[in-house]
Amino acid sequence: MPMTMNGQGYQLLPVKSNDSSREDDDVSSAPSFTRRDVGRRFRLGFLISLAVITLCALFLKRDKPLLTHSPINDDDLGLDKCAAPLALAAKPPAPTNPWASLTISEIAIIQKWLEAPERKLNLTRGSDSVLSDNVVYLIEAYYPPKADALAYLAGGNAPDRYSRVIIHHGGLEFPTIKNYLVGPLPVSERTTMRLLTEIYHESEIPFNARGFVNIAELHDVFKFISSELSDALEDLFGATARGNDNDTLIASAGGPFSFDGNTRKTWFSLRRNLPGPWLLPINFWQYLDVSGTDPSLWKALKVVYNHQIFGSTEEFLQSYRNGTLIRVPEQQSSGKPEDFSWSTRKRVGTPRDLDHLPGPRSVSFAGLRFRVDQASQYVSWMGWGMYLGFDRDMGLNLWDITLKGERIIYQLAPQEAIAQYAGNDPLQSTTAWQDRHFGMGLAVRDMLPGYDCPHEAVYLPATTHSALGAFVREKAICVFEQDTGRPVTRHTGYMEGEFGAVKGYMLTVRSISVVGNYDYGFDYMFHIDGTMEVRLSASGYLQGGYWEPVQEGYGGRIREHSMGNLHDHVINYKVDLDIAGSENSLLETIAAQEIIEQPWLEDDEWGSTVIQQNITRRIIETEDEALLKYPTNFQGHYSIVNQNKTNAWGVPRGYAIHAGYNPIHNTVVGSRRLLNNANWARYNLAVSLRKETEPSSSSMWNMNLPGKPTVDFHKFFDGENITQDDLVVWVNVGTHHLPQAEDSPNTKTTVAMSSFLLTPLNYFDSDISLDSTNAILLSAPSRPGEPWGFDDYGVKQDFTCVPETPPPFEYVDPKVYDEDGRLKESGSVEDMRKMAEMYHRIKVEL
């Protein structure tokens, strides 16, 4: 039996001797051979050798090496099967996650409670609704006050649970949107419902700022594509939009849809109905007014074709009929239909050398080293611990992040993601998306095992709600540990105790949201030295424009008639740091050049003047001073410190905020499309007092209310003192995306990536990574030329076993539940596409 190593959780390899003269071998039992036997063996050996040589020759003639399996049986190697990649059970600080999502049953019960006659809400279910109905748009958990949650984690009673409910009141004389607080839960005689207004700066939420309920609300838009217009489009572009299954044009809308909620207007771009239509626009746009709940009042305000502006569709058609329309110049053609296969993700080109072999993959030979409590979605690893939360607007968020038993962060959560475009056409030049509007949590997709996450990742589900029911994605979140491939610390030295290295391991918690054309990867990465990295990466399709020479300067040409348009991505995060408690301050640390005279340098050939760096530290005292950009040349940083708590050396304990990849802020300031609804994007970071009435920097309606946002970030900053108080840091990541040919068909996460880091700043007395036993310490040999001695602390890095075979690849649809909590039959792919892509890809249906 293999030996078990105490405390390590894995088996040591059995020792096998290579000594052929073992004393216990019974030599007398060895068989004897005759000369005839020797002859037979010689002939057999010759034939085998000839066969081997022939096979080798055949193998060498192949262009690519074979992927072969070893003929040696695993049992012959004496190896055990590796432990299955299953996370051990975690022990959360409290048994219930106070930030957990509502269950399907809870959502259904709340829906039924809202529909009861005594509520007098006159509700219509989303799947059967039109704009003039009252519809429950969202039911989800409302996070408890921080004081109540902390009291619970400290051993007190669990806080009361509440739900946030959003209703589109389209049936009122003056349609509006209302946000309600429903609770306490579970539903009982104690449950009440009140307006939730204290977290917004505007008491009214205009109906024209509404979110997407169902595809039916788009049907009335299709009346603007008449049969005569479709005939003209077919003549001009060789493509059709007639409401048929084989249509070769689709529509795509641009946002924001409103400035202050008084109207709802959008530019429609027509694109080819092929894979990757975002890269295939044609030179035609319509400007539509879709304000209010009565589609009979909707109208087309403008048509733009080939830089000609028409006041109506009829005006455009009249110009088309009378021959005054200036057509798009004929493109050079080989006489063959244009090939659009380049916009698919199908493999192209010559396979690379050895690429027919699978690449390396991570294997935890001794079993997974992190723990998960599935019920509460609590994760722990190497002294770190955290609860996971999930919401409709922004998806994955982390709570009560602790290290070695101390809380570092109360809440870490994305807040908003903007994409502001440029271009010489009506849609691109007016587009400023804010993806919270569409629901980045609702847009989370199941991971692709082995591609989005390593094979041995542990997956966690997420539940989100929409007006059409609730969704459960079983692989919405993945958790995995990896060797970073570089040490955390190392040094080659010659004195006792100075030569060694600590292995660099990292735990990642990941989710991926697909909002129309873009795929956003949200990563939260934890290191053994106490550092956290928050990373956002983007892939998917560009929102491309129609290329022609007048577009020069607004992007890059990526195909004959396609361009990638210049745009900025900026994503905002809320980081509620609690450093040695909640009484914290904002420290600015700047390194600048100084010129000083040093008396000990007099009469020296260097002269007495020294030019060097000097550190200046300052506590920023008010919110108005805390709208910040990183120091020039990154000569310094900002940090959250506790002035009343010091380490062993008398220095205030803190955590520093460092820029990672692409530390940008938004380029454009003053555009009416981002006038006051995304003020946070003007800075690299900002710090404000934490308030229950300021839970987020944005809202789902902010995109459509730049002139009158429900949440105005600048109003958080009203001159209050921020020394030794509970503070929130709002940190931005992003990318100045200057598109290029290599962005087709999809952008690359290697470049479209941004991050920030949170790292200990005198929080500890020294480097805590030195407590890791996955390390090595070398000692000099007693005699020159001999190998160096080493101490690996008993963790044998050469431990091995036979890894478990990864399960076959499988991707399944989410589970969808109706308003009564009943599992629905899977919809068609087309139905899923409509709900997933909404305004981003609209198929004409007449």
Side-chain angles (χ1 to χ4, degrees):
M1 292 289 291
M3 298 172 58
T4 299
M5 185 178 224
N6 293 332
Q8 296 296 334
Y10 55 80
Q11 294 175 317
L12 292 175
L13 291 175
V15 177
K16 290 195 172 184
S17 173
N18 293 322
D19 187 357
S20 60
S21 61
R22 282 173 32 184
E23 292 181 5
D24 57 349
D25 285 344
D26 186 359
V27 179
S28 64
S29 63
S32 60
F33 298 99
T34 65
R35 184 171 296 178
R36 181 179 298 174
D37 291 326
V38 172
R40 283 200 194 110
R41 285 177 171 266
F42 178 82
R43 289 192 295 274
L44 180 61
F46 176 79
L47 291 173
I48 291 173
S49 299
L50 183 62
V52 169
I53 293 169
T54 303
L55 287 172
C56 289
L58 290 171
F59 179 83
L60 291 172
K61 289 176 70 175
R62 287 176 51 88
D63 292 331
K64 309 185 192 71
L66 288 167
L67 177 59
T68 60
H69 296 283
S70 170
I72 302 174
N73 189 286
D74 294 337
D75 294 334
D76 296 334
L77 294 174
L79 297 181
D80 295 318
K81 288 287 186 182
C82 294
L86 302 174
L88 298 173
K91 297 180 180 179
T96 301
N97 181 346
W99 307 281
S101 302
L102 297 177
T103 65
I104 296 296
S105 175
E106 288 175 317
I107 293 170
I109 291 171
I110 294 169
Q111 175 83 31
K112 186 175 180 180
W113 185 84
L114 294 168
E115 292 176 341
E118 54 266 34
R119 304 287 96 76
K120 299 179 180 179
L121 293 171
N122 189 27
L123 296 173
T124 301
R125 292 196 166 178
S127 55
D128 301 320
S129 69
V130 294
L131 289 176
S132 55
D133 289 326
N134 299 335
V135 179
V136 176
Y137 184 74
L138 177 65
I139 301 172
E140 71 175 5
Y142 189 70
Y143 299 134
K146 182 176 181 179
D148 293 353
L150 293 184
Y152 169 62
L153 295 175
N157 295 326
D160 285 337
R161 298 183 70 222
Y162 284 83
S163 170
R164 181 169 76 126
V165 173
I166 296 170
I167 297 179
H168 287 188
H169 290 279
L172 297 180
E173 180 182 358
F174 299 103
T176 189
I177 299 167
K178 292 186 179 180
N179 203 19
Y180 299 96
L181 191 66
V182 174
L185 303 176
V187 169
S188 68
E189 292 181 355
R190 296 175 55 222
T191 302
T192 61
M193 178 178 184
R194 71 166 177 87
L195 287 174
L196 180 61
T197 58
E198 63 269 24
I199 61 174
Y200 302 121
H201 296 119
E202 296 291 337
S203 59
E204 296 294 327
I205 304 171
F207 192 76
N208 283 321
R210 67 185 179 276
F212 183 88
V213 172
N214 64 40
I215 197 68
E217 67 184 71
L218 294 174
H219 287 165
D220 290 297
V221 171
F222 301 143
K223 67 182 181 182
F224 299 111
I225 303 180
S226 63
S227 59
E228 188 177 5
L229 177 58
S230 188
D231 289 341
L233 292 173
E234 183 172 14
D235 177 37
L236 294 169
F237 300 106
T240 61
R242 303 185 187 280
N244 300 325
D245 290 341
N246 62 351
D247 273 351
T248 52
L249 287 176
I250 52 95
S252 177
F257 306 140
S258 181
F259 177 70
D260 55 12
N262 287 325
T263 61
R264 186 177 177 92
K265 302 173 183 176
T266 182
W267 281 99
F268 263 45
S269 168
L270 290 180
R271 301 170 184 268
R272 297 189 183 276
N273 187 23
L274 294 167
W278 301 282
L279 299 179
L280 306 172
I282 63 173
N283 199 338
F284 184 89
W285 298 267
Q286 285 181 296
Y287 190 39
L288 306 180
D289 185 338
V290 292
S291 304
T293 61
D294 185 355
S296 68
L297 301 178
W298 294 357
K299 52 185 176 294
L301 302 176
K302 292 178 184 177
V303 170
V304 176
Y305 166 78
N306 194 25
H307 298 274
Q308 300 158 85
I309 304 168
F310 303 93
S312 66
T313 304
E314 178 55 36
E315 187 178 320
F316 163 76
L317 289 172
Q318 184 178 354
S319 179
Y320 167 75
R321 288 190 295 261
N322 64 27
T324 60
L325 188 70
I326 303 173
R327 296 193 174 215
V328 175
E330 291 291 333
Q331 305 289 339
Q332 296 296 322
S333 174
S334 62
K336 298 180 181 178
E338 188 170 354
D339 181 9
F340 294 105
S341 63
W342 63 272
S343 64
T344 76
R345 289 189 48 82
K346 295 180 179 178
R347 202 196 66 77
V348 296
T350 304
R352 303 186 187 197
D353 183 35
L354 300 182
D355 197 31
H356 67 288
L357 301 174
R361 73 172 189 262
S362 297
V363 176
S364 296
F365 286 100
L368 300 186
R369 304 197 311 163
F370 59 91
R371 299 175 182 269
V372 176
D373 183 70
Q374 296 274 350
S376 65
Q377 293 211 331
Y378 182 82
V379 178
S380 63
W381 173 78
M382 296 292 148
W384 287 102
M386 69 210 74
Y387 287 95
L388 307 184
F390 204 91
D391 60 36
R392 175 263 178 204
D393 282 9
M394 293 303 295
L396 177 63
N397 44 74
L398 280 58
W399 298 85
D400 190 39
I401 301 174
T402 58
L403 178 59
K404 291 180 173 288
E406 284 194 87
R407 181 175 302 106
I408 306 293
I409 294 177
Y410 175 71
Q411 180 188 10
L412 173 55
Q415 301 295 297
E416 185 61 276
I418 69 169
Q420 186 172 18
Y421 287 79
N424 194 2
D425 69 53
L427 185 136
Q428 302 286 56
S429 63
T430 60
T431 294
W433 295 121
Q434 295 189 40
D435 285 332
R436 185 180 185 131
H437 174 78
F438 304 103
M440 297 194 82
L442 189 63
V444 160
R445 298 293 179 258
D446 281 295
M447 305 289 187
L448 305 178
Y451 296 87
D452 289 328
C453 306
H455 278 293
E456 64 175 21
V458 171
Y459 296 95
L460 294 170
T463 300
T464 51
H465 177 263
S466 78
L468 299 181
F471 297 79
V472 176
R473 295 192 179 271
E474 297 295 340
K475 291 184 171 67
I477 303 165
C478 71
V479 184
F480 57 91
E481 182 188 11
Q482 282 186 312
D483 185 339
T484 64
R486 63 180 183 183
V488 177
T489 62
R490 67 148 349 264
H491 179 65
T492 300
Y494 303 91
M495 300 290 289
E496 183 68 25
E498 67 177 20
F499 188 2
V502 177
K503 287 183 72 68
Y505 291 108
M506 176 176 73
L507 184 81
T508 297
V509 182
R510 173 176 295 161
S511 70
I512 296 177
S513 293
V514 183
V515 186
N517 54 309
Y518 262 116
D519 299 49
Y520 294 94
F522 291 89
D523 284 3
Y524 301 90
M525 296 170 287
F526 299 84
H527 299 262
I528 64 170
D529 67 337
T531 294
M532 289 168 274
E533 183 177 359
V534 179
R535 182 183 297 177
L536 189 286
S537 56
S539 189
Y541 286 92
L542 293 166
Q543 178 181 296
Y546 182 84
W547 170 258
E548 51 188 331
V550 296
Q551 294 285 1
E552 188 65 48
Y554 296 106
R557 184 180 186 181
I558 61 175
R559 224 65 181 187
E560 286 79 6
H561 317 308
S562 298
M563 68 177 291
N565 287 72
L566 171 66
H567 59 285
D568 276 358
H569 290 281
V570 190
I571 297 88
N572 186 237
Y573 288 85
K574 178 182 182 180
V575 189
D576 182 357
L577 286 152
D578 282 354
I579 304 302
S582 59
E583 295 180 350
N584 295 162
S585 297
L586 172 61
L587 174 66
E588 177 188 64
T589 302
I590 301 294
Q593 179 176 294
E594 70 169 6
I595 302 175
I596 60 172
E597 301 290 324
Q598 298 288 12
W600 50 81
L601 293 177
E602 290 182 6
D603 303 323
D604 190 85
E605 70 250 37
W606 301 108
S608 60
T609 300
V610 174
I611 302 176
Q612 61 185 5
Q613 290 189 84
N614 176 271
I615 298 173
T616 301
R617 296 183 177 91
R618 175 176 75 101
I619 295 293
I620 295 177
E621 296 185 349
T622 68
E623 287 180 323
D624 290 349
E625 302 173 83
L627 295 162
L628 305 166
K629 295 178 180 176
Y630 290 124
T632 301
N633 198 34
F634 299 101
Q635 293 174 202
H637 56 74
Y638 296 97
S639 53
I640 298 298
V641 301
N642 190 328
Q643 297 184 79
N644 297 330
K645 299 291 179 67
T646 62
N647 65 8
W649 322 120
V651 183
R653 300 176 71 191
Y655 252 75
I657 303 146
H658 287 283
Y661 300 98
N662 285 330
I664 74 154
H665 51 81
N666 197 30
T667 302
V668 177
V669 176
S671 165
R672 284 177 62 80
R673 288 164 182 83
L674 287 179
L675 190 62
N676 293 314
N677 57 348
N679 290 326
W680 50 265
R682 302 182 184 188
Y683 316 100
N684 292 123
L685 69 156
V687 180
S688 66
L689 282 179
R690 187 194 185 278
K691 297 179 181 178
E692 295 295 341
T693 56
E694 296 174 351
S696 177
S697 61
S698 189
S699 80
M700 69 168 69
W701 308 285
N702 263 34
M703 182 183 82
N704 293 326
L705 297 169
K708 200 177 182 181
T710 49
V711 175
D712 187 339
F713 183 69
H714 273 170
K715 291 184 178 179
F716 291 8
F717 297 82
D718 49 9
E720 292 180 286
N721 187 279
I722 55 172
T723 57
Q724 289 305 104
D725 212 326
D726 197 358
L727 306 182
V728 169
V729 185
W730 311 89
V731 188
N732 291 329
V733 299
T735 305
H736 298 307
H737 197 160
L738 285 66
Q740 58 198 47
E742 290 82 2
D743 283 316
S744 66
N746 288 170
T747 62
K748 303 177 296 298
T749 60
T750 49
V751 178
M753 175 174 57
S754 185
S755 65
F756 67 92
L757 293 93
L758 303 166
T759 191
L761 178 70
N762 302 305
Y763 189 85
F764 302 102
D765 300 334
S766 62
D767 173 21
I768 63 167
S769 72
L770 281 181
D771 65 14
S772 175
T773 52
N774 271 261
I776 193 166
L777 185 68
L778 280 76
S779 55
S782 56
R783 289 187 296 180
E786 290 187 344
W788 287 60
F790 67 89
D791 182 1
D792 60 9
Y793 304 102
V795 181
K796 300 302 179 184
Q797 300 295 335
D798 59 354
F799 173 78
T800 191
C801 52
V802 180
E804 195 173 79
T805 302
F809 180 84
E810 182 182 56
Y811 190 82
V812 297
D813 297 333
K815 294 178 182 177
V816 184
Y817 297 81
D818 66 14
E819 291 89 342
D820 295 313
R822 296 174 302 202
L823 185 64
K824 298 165 69 173
E825 291 186 8
S826 295
S828 68
V829 172
E830 180 65 14
D831 289 338
M832 287 190 290
R833 183 197 66 75
K834 289 175 183 176
M835 286 309 302
E837 296 174 347
M838 295 183 281
Y839 311 107
H840 298 280
R841 176 160 65 174
I842 306 165
K843 192 173 186 303
V844 177
E845 296 179 1
L846 300 177

